[in-house]
Amino acid sequence: MISQLTSPRLLRSLLPAFSLTVILLAIFYLQPRAMSYFGLNLLLNLALPIAFATLAQMCVITVNDLDLGIGAFVGFVACVGVTWLNDQPLLGFLVLAASILAYGAMGALIHLRNLPSIVVTLGMSFVWLGLALLVLPTPGGKAPAIVTAVMKFKTPFVPMTIYASIAIALIVHVALKRSAYGAVLRGVGGNPQSVARASWSLVRAKITMYALAGFFGVMSGISLIGLTSAADANIALRYTLLSIAGVILGGGEFVGGRISPIGAVLGAITLTLAGSFLSFLRISPDWQIGAQGAILIIVLALRTVINRSEARKLA
Amino acid sequence: MTHSALMKLSEKPWLWAFIGATCVWIATIIFTGGQGAGEILSAALSFGTFSVIVGIGQMYVITLGPGNVDLSIPATMTFAGVVSMKIIDSQNSMILTGLLIALACGAAVGVFNYGLIRLLRIPPIIATLSSSFLVQSSAIAYGRGLKIKPPPLLADFSTTKILGVPLLAICVMPLAAFMGLVLHRTVYGKSVLAIGQNPRAAKLAGVRVDFIRFATYVLSAVLAGFCGYVLSGFSGGASLNMGAEYLLASIAVVVIGGTSVAGGYSNLPGLWGASLFMFLLVTMLNTFGLSAGVRLILTGAIIVGVIVLAGGRKN
């Protein structure tokens, strides 16, 4: 029983929840007033868009790639959201659907030409940024009323973000970790040769994951404008790095298709809270990004320790 | 005859970068009616030199094989620039000390990066990304956002042109040629190539894989430090976002220059062609008088297009 409780596998899967608990307790200790509906709402305000962006990144990481353009893409979606989606909803829908298809096509291109995903997605980030500037040359616009209403809806007991995060995490968990095709998709990251030999289409899997990433990117942009109600092209550029950090914090491995949707959402929330935590500690904003790097390194170091103890047990 | 010439051309993928640069340059001067042809080329050589400096380091890292890439280059450039400019404090007598400090900053980042990769077993992309957060924060905290003027002698050195050819480019050319020799003629260079082709075979053949990888990450960071130093001299001081554009640039010049993204095969002359191509491309789009949005879209699309054509390796 005790050996089960200290099994590296369990410890590893509990690490994201553990990091979140630590940072939440630290915040409550420093600022007890945060322990209220209003306080939580403020703290978690921007968690949902970041969680969606993190899930988008997770989809790409599942197939052993990395998306360095997701932040610019979310910015583009936000710009479309506050202009076309508000003025001509049908056109807005079509543009967003087309952008999801474009993401899928990017996955196909990366796979078929065997290109480095970092370069292609980084190049595409210029395209998204340029498109965003064309759609919305100066900051402004207006989010559709229904999006704002949904994002600012006051749910009973705890803020909406918490319900939404739980729901998304569970849905994606079931889809990727509990379904048959989900196993194939993760297998593409783990061992593409054997997936291909089992006569699954690798290119279809890549398109699926990239299109899913595009879908979550759209969700991230739309939920973001629901909170900010206006947008500009650069609104979400920092999401690229945040999303990668979120996936890794949440227990995702960088290669091998080992990912955890629940962990990714927890990781995104942890990172959202990290900013507030640092300002409660009166750490200068200069160190905000640095602290994210430090948190990432600490969590990865902990994971290495757990993995080593596992290796020792096996040996 | 033509057939064999074509065959030869396809064997030298880096020639495409020079051909592309020439085409873009010709398109630009046709548009301006021949005006400023020399000035454009001279400016391209000035700015291209900075991409070449960081490109050399990135090329060595990418040659180590899949998954090896240095994402901390922009942060390292900023850090080295900020620290050296602040210590030099615009005094000519401190130029050499400043250079050594910039190189030492780079070396420190490189050692830290490889420490994360080796000791904590963090994948290089994530390791260099998280360390770049810390390094960038250090630069922000240390520099306090003040732009300190470079010593006049350094500013002169980095902006002087001899018959239209930038002095800096003249100095970097032998460095680049030397690094090319190191790659193909020394035990170290051949070890880098061997690890990129097959790390297991290299290890069995007695290559000190750990040491070579360590040296390569340090080399990349030192070159980034050097680039940050001369770029600060060139642009009238170190600014906090001076490295930003070199994330894409350093990777793109390597790939466009004909280095294999799968590792084990690299090409140094191609770096020059690719750097000139990247700068001339932006100049061309500026000359055409396009809006910022269209310019960004075309830059991204052309970079992705070139990589699709030039960088795809066969399965």
Side-chain angles (χ1 to χ4, degrees), chain A residues 226-248:
Chain A
L227 297 165
T228 60
S229 58
D232 72 281
N234 299 317
I235 191 169
L237 286 186
R238 63 191 190 96
Y239 280 21
T240 303
L241 299 181
L242 272 179
S243 66
I244 299 172
V247 174
I248 303 298

Side-chain angles (χ1 to χ4, degrees), chain A residues 23-24 26-27 30-31 34 39-46 269-283 288 292:
Chain A
I23 208 152
L24 207 53
I27 286 179
L30 289 169
Q31 187 55 270
L40 274 178
N41 205 11
L42 269 184
L43 279 176
L44 296 173
N45 196 8
L46 285 173
I269 298 175
T270 310
L271 281 176
T272 318
L273 291 176
S276 316
F277 172 63
L278 295 172
S279 46
F280 286 144
L281 273 182
R282 305 231 164 82
I283 290 179
Q288 290 263 351
Q292 276 166 12

Side-chain angles (χ1 to χ4, degrees), chain B residues 83 206 228:
Chain B
V83 173

Side-chain angles (χ1 to χ4, degrees), chain A residues 20-153:
Chain A
L20 177 60
T21 315
V22 167
I23 208 152
L24 207 53
L25 287 178
I27 286 179
F28 288 159
Y29 174 75
L30 289 169
Q31 187 55 270
R33 270 178 295 172
M35 219 180 333
S36 62
Y37 187 98
F38 181 72
L40 274 178
N41 205 11
L42 269 184
L43 279 176
L44 296 173
N45 196 8
L46 285 173
L48 208 52
I50 296 177
F52 275 124
T54 306
L55 285 172
Q57 187 67 259
M58 189 196 70
C59 292
V60 178
I61 288 184
T62 307
V63 289
N64 288 356
D65 286 343
L66 194 64
D67 186 352
L68 292 184
I70 190 71
F73 180 70
V74 172
F76 163 71
V77 171
C79 288
V80 171
V82 296
T83 51
W84 292 341
L85 197 62
N86 191 34
D87 309 330
Q88 296 155 281
L90 185 65
L91 177 69
F93 262 115
L94 287 177
V95 168
L96 292 180
S99 65
I100 294 176
L101 291 182
Y103 241 80
M106 187 168 80
L109 189 70
I110 287 172
H111 178 73
L112 292 174
R113 294 286 299 164
N114 215 343
L115 300 168
S117 58
I118 339 175
V119 195
V120 176
T121 51
L122 207 53
M124 283 304 288
S125 75
F126 283 70
V127 176
W128 300 124
L129 195 60
L131 286 172
L133 277 176
L134 285 188
V135 175
L136 188 71
T138 50
K142 190 178 177 302
I146 179 158
V147 177
T148 320
V150 169
M151 287 309 292
K152 301 210 165 142
F153 184 70

Side-chain angles (χ1 to χ4, degrees), chain B residues 25 28-40 287:
Chain B
W25 180 62
T28 314
I29 53 176
I30 287 176
F31 188 83
T32 61
Q35 268 192 337
E39 282 90 339
I40 293 173
T287 321

